[in-house]
Amino acid sequence: MAGGPPFEVTVTHDGLDALARALRKESDGKQLRKELAKNMRDALKPAAAQAKSGIMAMASSGPGTAPALRSAIAKKIRPEVKLGGNWSGARIKAFKTRNIRGFANAPKRTNRARGWRHLTYGREPWVQQHGKTLWFDRAMEGDTNRYTAAVHEAMEAMARRLADRAR
């Protein structure tokens, strides 16, 4: 996707990096960083719930004995926060589903318009299957400003807390 996915919450990296640096200078900085990351993840939990409901709304192709694909994908959707390093920020991420039907990239493949190919019952012929197009991308459409504001508020609260300590 050109320009990055619409579901990633972007905050100014300078502000987040400055806040992370300020936390490192504090004596209990490690605990404060954990608390900031937790607050940012909590701010994004409703967005993760929207993404989970997006995949659960995908049509099922009938009963089977294999593990349920939609619920396996839904379990792998989580908010992710990183402070420092090469990438700093907060986002909703659908992690790979490694042990589900040998379909590690299920979140990615079910989201794309052209679908995916697989063998029928493990042998020829190959078939093309389509999931729910853009279930992940469209799940949080229209709410990104709300989640961005919630992440900013978590950052501001920690910055105010650090400023109050300095006084």
Side-chain angles (χ1 to χ4, degrees):
M1 285 179 263
F7 47 83
E8 185 169 333
V9 176
T10 55
V11 277
T12 60
H13 290 286
D14 296 334
L16 187 57
D17 288 339
L19 184 57
R21 277 193 305 276
L23 289 173
R24 271 190 228 112
K25 291 178 184 175
E26 295 295 317
S27 61
D28 60 342
K30 190 173 183 179
Q31 184 62 33
L32 291 174
R33 283 171 60 100
K34 284 182 184 179
E35 187 177 330
L36 174 62
K38 180 190 179 306
N39 291 342
M40 290 171 74
R41 275 192 305 274
D42 288 346
L44 292 176
K45 280 186 180 177
Q50 282 182 307
K52 288 177 183 186
S53 67
I55 187 58
M56 293 306 286
M58 185 174 83
S60 177
S61 62
T65 58
L69 184 63
R70 292 175 301 161
S71 61
I73 293 172
K75 286 178 186 174
K76 293 292 190 168
I77 297 173
R78 291 188 291 277
E80 180 184 44
V81 174
K82 287 190 180 179
L83 303 172
N86 292 335
W87 179 83
S88 293
R91 64 183 172 187
I92 305 300
K93 189 169 180 181
F95 293 89
K96 288 187 175 189
T97 53
R98 297 210 185 278
N99 297 323
I100 304 299
R101 302 184 193 175
F103 194 16
N105 287 320
K108 181 178 176 181
R109 300 288 187 251
T110 56
N111 190 50
R112 70 180 185 191
R114 70 176 192 212
W116 67 95
R117 287 171 34 103
H118 63 89
L119 291 170
T120 308
Y121 300 107
R123 23 181 148 12
E124 296 291 333
W126 284 85
V127 294
Q128 184 75 20
Q129 189 169 348
H130 298 278
K132 184 177 178 195
T133 306
L134 301 176
W135 61 265
F136 191 82
D137 298 346
R138 292 184 182 151
M140 295 157 271
E141 212 169 50
D143 290 332
T144 54
N145 290 339
R146 180 170 50 132
Y147 300 125
T148 302
V151 169
H152 278 283
E153 179 54 38
M155 289 172 53
E156 287 292 325
M158 186 58 69
R160 281 192 299 273
R161 189 169 163 188
L162 289 176
D164 289 344
R165 281 183 170 192
R167 290 182 192 155

